[in-house]
Amino acid sequence: MASVTYPKNVIELANTMLRVWRETRPNMTFGDMTAQEFSEVVVDAEKERDALETAVAQVDVQRDGRDASHIKAWNYVKRGKAGFKSAFGDDSTEYERVGGTRRSNRKKPTRTPKNKPAQVS
């Protein structure tokens, strides 16, 4: 779909225009556009906006449910990994197979030598 721009308050602007139109000259037309036709367009736009807001709210509920279930699954993964580490040891192939890093495969710590202060002669 092409990118179309319109003001965020287009429905409010349309409702204001429709109210003024009906208060001043309800039978006036602009070309072939009548106040009734304009009103139908505004009602349709409001329905589409409301339907979208409902869908977004439903997506938010679904996203919250997904996040809660993923957090629960992640907590179980962490507990399971800790269980494998406890049962088989932190250098076992079983621990590695469930996603842990074996102790023997970890990078060995290295120390950086301290710089000795320069000697003054």
Side-chain angles (χ1 to χ4, degrees):
M1 183 174 157
S3 177
V4 180
T5 60
Y6 54 87
K8 291 183 186 259
N9 63 342
V10 67
I11 292 176
E12 291 77 16
L13 294 171
N15 278 320
T16 301
M17 181 176 289
L18 186 59
R19 181 179 40 80
V20 172
W21 191 346
R22 286 180 174 161
E23 289 172 357
T24 55
R25 284 202 200 158
N27 295 332
M28 183 174 64
T29 62
F30 297 103
D32 60 351
M33 181 176 64
T34 64
Q36 179 60 35
E37 181 183 353
F38 190 75
S39 174
E40 291 168 3
V41 169
V42 172
V43 167
D44 184 50
E46 288 172 334
K47 285 181 184 176
E48 291 294 330
R49 178 199 58 200
D50 294 345
L52 179 61
E53 288 175 357
T54 300
V56 167
Q58 290 171 344
V59 167
D60 287 344
V61 168
Q62 289 293 122
R63 186 174 292 123
D64 291 345
R66 180 211 54 197
D67 290 347
S69 65
H70 283 202
I71 288 170
K72 186 174 184 177
W74 177 238
N75 286 334
Y76 275 53
V77 166
K78 291 187 295 185
R79 286 176 60 192
K81 193 185 290 187
F84 270 84
K85 184 176 181 179
S86 172
F88 298 103
D90 61 353
D91 201 32
S92 66
T93 57
E94 293 83 4
Y95 177 61
E96 181 179 37
R97 288 175 59 198
V98 296
T101 303
R102 293 176 66 173
R103 184 173 18 102
S104 60
N105 292 343
R106 291 191 188 123
K107 185 177 176 180
K108 306 291 187 257
T110 57
R111 293 186 182 197
T112 56
K114 292 184 179 179
N115 290 336
K116 293 184 180 181
Q119 293 182 0
V120 180
S121 304

